[in-house]
Amino acid sequence: MKAKQRLGELKTMSEDQLSDEVLKLKKEQFNLRFRKATGQLENPSRMKEARREIARAKTIATAKAAAKKA
C-alpha cells in the first residue's frame, strides 16, 4: 500500500521536484550503505526500498520529459 501512495505523490510532482527527490533518495541510499558497512543498519530491507523509490522517481521523470516533447 505504501508504494501506491508514494507513486501517486511522485506523479503529481513537477520535473524539478522529481530531480530533487531523486537527489534526496540517493543521499539516503548513500547513508544506508555507510551504515551497513559500519554495522549500524537496523532495517536492511530499507536499502531495497530506497533503490526502488529512486527507480520509480526516475521512471516518472523520464515519462514526463517524453510527454513534454511529444
Side-chain angles (χ1 to χ4, degrees), residues 7-63:
L7 186 62
E9 291 174 14
L10 290 173
K11 285 184 177 181
T12 60
M13 291 183 179
S14 69
E15 290 181 50
D16 290 335
Q17 289 173 323
L18 283 169
S19 63
D20 291 342
E21 185 71 16
V22 169
L23 186 62
K24 183 186 87 164
L25 289 167
K26 284 190 174 206
K27 286 180 182 179
E28 180 185 356
Q29 185 182 34
F30 173 79
N31 289 330
L32 289 169
R33 282 197 318 260
F34 187 77
R35 279 193 243 145
K36 181 181 179 188
T38 59
Q40 298 174 345
L41 186 62
E42 294 176 9
N43 186 5
S45 65
R46 181 63 190 131
M47 293 181 71
K48 184 177 180 179
E49 290 173 14
R51 187 174 66 242
R52 288 183 177 189
E53 285 180 13
I54 292 169
R56 280 187 198 104
K58 283 184 170 183
T59 301
I60 293 170
T62 304

